[in-house]
């Protein structure tokens, strides 16, 4: 999500959310799911970009945290909504349901593959082709080496910006997985004022990402 010293959207968003926070904060950037695991082990008070199902609910089929532990969390207003789409080539039929992908070669990046395994049965239905990044998954689709690519809609948008001639389409009514991104914290001293501050900053920023 964020990289040290990079001028990326999530880096700028985190900086904006933490401006004038009521308590001092320190940030530790860890690759992939190491950060999630460290937070689950309670090595850290909060996680930036913690995911939940719509309405702050525990994501479906999530086995990484118990419902009892989930219910103790302090979760901010979501600052982003992620939706997984079944991308296909423009001019070919878009998937009307997840069953349309049954046994079809489907490119999925490694991080999304784990998300889908945790929260859906999509990886069991498709014939998954695992790759390192969403861009590589969409490259496979663009070169017609797979029938579909599963990707978050923001990754599809970024890919199309980077590749203006990309011939990619998807069914807007088919959402394979929907997740909210928020600041999530374990309960503790000064946590609620911190979450209240994040809520205020999300409202101030609105849909205008820094």
């Amino acid at each position: 999500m964020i990289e040290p010293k990079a001028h990326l959207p999530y880096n700028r968003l985190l900086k904006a959310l933490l401006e004038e926070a009521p308590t001092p904060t320190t940030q530790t950037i860890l690759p992939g799911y190491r950060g999630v695991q460290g937070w689950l082990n309670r090595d850290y008070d909060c996680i930036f970009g913690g995911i939940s199902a719509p309405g702050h609910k525990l994501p479906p089929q999530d086995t990484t945290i118990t419902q009892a532990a989930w219910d103790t969390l302090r979760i901010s207003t979501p600052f982003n909504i992620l939706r997984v789409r079944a991308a296909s080539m423009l001019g070919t039929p878009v998937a009307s349901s997840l069953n349309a992908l049954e046994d079809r070669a489907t490119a999925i990046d490694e991080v999304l593959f784990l998300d889908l395994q945790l929260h859906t049965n999509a990886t069991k239905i498709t014939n998954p082709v695992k790759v390192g990044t969403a861009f590589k998954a969409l490259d496979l689709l663009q070169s017609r080496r797979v029938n579909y690519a599963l990707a978050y809609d923001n990754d599809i948008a970024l890919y199309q910006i980077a590749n203006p001639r990309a011939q990619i389409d998807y069914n807007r009514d088919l959402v394979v997985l929907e997740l909210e991104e928020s600041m999530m914290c374990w309960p503790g001293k000064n946590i609620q004022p911190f979450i209240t501050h994040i809520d205020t900053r999300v409202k101030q920023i609105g849909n205008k990402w820094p």
Side-chain angles (χ1 to χ4, degrees), residues 98-173:
L98 187 57
N99 289 333
L101 279 64
E102 185 172 4
D103 296 329
R104 307 300 298 274
T106 304
I108 310 172
D109 73 80
E110 292 177 352
V111 173
L112 176 56
F113 187 87
L114 183 53
D115 286 345
L116 292 171
Q117 276 192 318
L118 287 175
H119 311 307
T120 75
N121 61 350
T123 58
K124 297 177 182 178
I125 292 176
T126 63
N127 176 21
V129 179
K130 290 174 64 177
V131 293
T133 67
F135 272 36
K136 289 181 179 178
L138 294 166
D139 277 340
L140 287 181
L141 177 64
Q142 184 70 15
S143 62
R144 299 182 184 274
R145 294 166 62 187
V146 295
N147 303 109
Y148 295 97
L150 291 179
Y152 285 115
D153 47 10
N154 60 332
D155 285 325
I156 295 174
L158 290 172
Y159 183 84
Q160 291 179 312
I161 291 172
N163 301 274
R165 296 184 179 180
Q167 300 291 302
I168 292 174
D169 195 12
Y170 59 83
N171 181 353
R172 272 63 178 172
D173 294 328

Side-chain angles (χ1 to χ4, degrees), residues 10 20 34 41 47 51 72 74-77 85 89 96 103 113 115 123 129 145 154 159 171 174 184 193:
Y10 276 105
E20 300 181 359
R34 282 180 57 190
N41 292 339
I47 184 168
I51 59 173
T72 70
R74 304 294 184 264
I75 304 176
S76 76
T77 300
R85 305 292 189 174
M89 288 298 296
S96 58
D103 296 329
F113 187 87
D115 286 345
T123 58
V129 179
R145 294 166 62 187
N154 60 332
Y159 183 84
N171 181 353
L174 175 60
M184 290 185 180

Side-chain angles (χ1 to χ4, degrees), residues 44-90:
Y44 307 96
D45 296 311
C46 302
I47 184 168
F48 171 69
I51 59 173
S52 60
H56 286 353
K57 295 180 180 178
L58 181 66
Q61 303 184 36
D62 195 335
T63 58
T64 60
I65 184 172
T66 65
Q67 184 67 56
W70 181 270
D71 291 341
T72 70
L73 295 179
R74 304 294 184 264
I75 304 176
S76 76
T77 300
F79 52 74
N80 193 29
I81 304 295
L82 296 171
R83 297 181 179 91
V84 177
R85 305 292 189 174
S88 57
M89 288 298 296
L90 189 67

